[in-house]
Amino acid sequence: MSHLEYRKLSEADVEAEIALVEGWAIEDDKLTKRFSFKTYKDGLVFALAVGQVADNLNHHPDLEVGYAKVRVAVNTHDVGGISPYDFELARRIDALLK
């Protein structure tokens, strides 16, 4: 996505975008995904990497770290919903594991 803008996506736009990001879902009006790892440390390292990616995009998700599990949840508060930034962040997070 070359041109990101802060705008709330329509339900149809969200449905089209979510089909392009594997494993992500809408929960409580946030774009959400759960990741599983072999160890607690692997999850922590991943969560830190997510934090760096998010900071570079200046778009910060909620992170929940559990034993070998990390839950990422994001929306765009400024627009009151899901924006192109949420999907861009999802793509960048997924790229960490490739």
Side-chain angles (χ1 to χ4, degrees):
M1 181 175 282
S2 59
H3 182 264
L4 295 175
E5 57 183 298
Y6 278 114
R7 65 179 171 84
K8 183 176 179 177
L9 295 174
S10 68
E11 278 190 43
D13 288 340
V14 169
E15 287 179 23
E17 287 285 337
I18 208 161
L20 302 174
V21 288
E22 186 177 337
W24 291 85
I26 303 299
E27 295 178 9
D28 299 323
D29 298 321
K30 292 184 178 184
L31 184 61
T32 305
K33 186 171 181 178
R34 288 171 177 76
F35 297 87
S36 296
F37 299 92
K38 289 184 180 182
T39 67
Y40 179 71
K41 182 180 177 184
D42 290 343
L44 283 176
V45 169
F46 174 74
L48 287 171
V50 168
Q52 289 182 320
V53 166
D55 214 40
N56 288 340
L57 189 59
N58 195 27
H59 194 60
H60 304 97
D62 294 331
L63 296 173
E64 294 176 14
V65 178
Y67 184 78
K69 294 179 183 166
V70 176
R71 179 181 179 266
V72 179
V74 65
N75 66 6
T76 304
H77 302 286
D78 291 346
V79 301
I82 305 294
S83 80
Y85 274 89
D86 301 308
F87 286 101
E88 178 62 19
L89 181 59
R91 284 187 284 277
R92 292 182 187 196
I93 290 170
D94 285 344
L96 291 170
L97 297 174
K98 293 183 179 176

